[in-house]
Amino acid sequence: MMDHPIDWLSAYIDDELEADQRQLIEDHLQHCESCAAVVHDMMELKAQVAGFYLTIEPPLYLEQQVIQAINNKSSIDSWIRAWFAVPLAGILCLVTLWFLFGPILVRLVSALFKFVLAAFYLFSNMATSIPSVFGTVVIIAVMLLMISGISLRRLLRSTMQ
Amino acid sequence: MDEELHRYVHEARLGNKEAFTELIRRFKGNVYRHAYGMLGERMEAEDVVQEAFIKAYYSLSRLESDYAFATWIMRIVSNLCLDRLKKHPKDQTVSNERMVELAAEQQGNTHLRITLEEAMQQLSPEHRQVILLHDVQGYRYEEMAALLDVPLGTVKSRLNAARLALRNELKKGDE
Ligand SMILES: [Zn+2]
C-alpha cells in the first residue's frame, strides 16, 4: 500500500491529474478511509465556496463611479498640462525672439541700461545741487509714513475690540 | 469569447469611454467577487475594484491582445488585493466579540461553528487567492499558473494546502 497521497487529493477532485496518477489515487481511496474522508470534505468545501461567493453581487452604480473617477482624473491632468503649458509657451516665445532679434535685443538692453544709469546720475546730481528740493521730498515721505503707521494702529485697535 | 466583447475591448483601447463602461458592466461581477473574497469587506472591495478598473483604463494600450482582457483585469485586481493586504495586514484572528459569541452559543449547546467566510479570512492571502480563482472564478490550473506567474506545480500544491487549511479552520470551530 502506498503512502497517503495527501498532496494529490485536490488535483484529483479538480480533475487535473494524468490518467495513470488518477488511477493510483482511485485505487488508494478504495481502501483508505482517512483519504476518502479528506476527498469528501474537500468536495463539499469546493461546492460551499462557490455557492457562497457566487451570491456576492457588486454595487449597481460601480461603472458610473469608475467613469466619473476617470473623467475627474483626466480633467485634473489637463489642468496640470495647462499649468505646464503656459510657462513653457512663454519660454519658447523668448527663445524665438532671441533667435530672430538677438543682436538688436542686446543693443536695446544695453541702451536701456545706459539710460537708467544716466537718469540715476542726473537725479543724484540734482539732489546734491538743490538740497532744498531733496529735503522737502524726504520730509514729505517721512510724514506720509508716520500717518499711515498711526492709522494702521488705530485700525488694528478698533478691530481688536 | 464572443466577437462583441472583442469589439468593446478594441474600442476601449482607442479611448472610447462608452465601450469601457460596457467592459466594466460585464466584468465587475467577477472582479468585485474576487476583491470581496480577498478583503472580506464591502467598502474595501469597492475601493480596490475602482482602482483596478482605473488602472486598466490607463494601461489598456499595454494589453497584448484584445482577447486577453478577462485574465488581465483579474490579474490586476488580484495583485492590488495582495498589495493592500501586505500594506495593512488584517487582524488574522476571529474578532473577540465573535469568540465570546461562539463560546456562549456552545454553552447553550446550539452547535454553532465559525462560518465559511470567517474561515476563509483566517487563511493566508495566497491560499485565499487560489481557492477563489479556482472555485469561484473557474480557472484551470494552467490558467492560474499564467495569471499568477508561478509554475504549474506551485498552483497544484498551493491549492491543495489551501483546501487543507480551510478544512482545518472549519474543524477548529467543531471542537
Ligand atoms: Zn490514505
Side-chain angles (χ1 to χ4, degrees), chain A residues 6-7 10-11 14-16 41 45 50 52-53 56-63 65 67 70-71, chain B residues 17 21 25 28 32-33 36 42 46 49-50 58 117 134-135 140-141 159-160 163 167 170-171:
Chain A
I6 195 87
D7 296 339
S10 216
D14 292 333
D15 199 14
E16 294 267 4
D41 286 355
L45 279 180
F52 175 73
Y53 285 100
I56 303 289
E57 286 298 333
L60 288 171
Y61 45 84
L62 205 118
E63 54 265 37
Q65 263 180 354
I67 292 296
I70 288 171
N71 285 339
Chain B
K17 275 183 194 153
T21 309
R25 203 167 289 137
K28 69 174 183 179
Y32 180 78
R33 230 163 267 138
Y36 179 80
R42 282 191 171 269
E46 232 175 273
V49 170
Q50 247 195 62
Y58 285 105
E117 200 186 355
H134 188 276
D135 297 351
R140 303 286 298 175
Y141 286 14
L159 185 54
N160 196 69
R163 285 202 179 119
R167 179 170 176 263
L170 285 165
K171 286 239 150 75

Side-chain angles (χ1 to χ4, degrees), chain A residues 1-6 9 28-29 31-36:
Chain A
M1 181 177 140
M2 69 194 277
D3 291 333
H4 298 291
I6 195 87
L9 298 181
H28 179 86
L29 291 177
H31 54 255
C32 178
E33 271 180 39
S34 76
C35 282

Side-chain angles (χ1 to χ4, degrees), chain A residues 37-56:
Chain A
V38 174
V39 165
H40 174 265
D41 286 355
M42 277 187 172
M43 282 167 80
E44 206 176 85
L45 279 180
K46 185 177 165 178
Q48 275 181 29
V49 167
F52 175 73
Y53 285 100
L54 287 173
T55 61
I56 303 289

Side-chain angles (χ1 to χ4, degrees), chain B residues 17-54:
Chain B
K17 275 183 194 153
E18 294 284 310
F20 192 69
T21 309
E22 184 57 34
L23 286 179
I24 302 173
R25 203 167 289 137
R26 287 187 175 214
F27 288 98
K28 69 174 183 179
N30 286 343
V31 173
Y32 180 78
R33 230 163 267 138
H34 189 75
Y36 179 80
M38 287 302 289
L39 303 169
E41 221 255 300
R42 282 191 171 269
M43 289 302 282
E44 286 218 34
E46 232 175 273
D47 223 42
V48 162
V49 170
Q50 247 195 62
E51 200 181 334
F53 278 116
I54 291 171

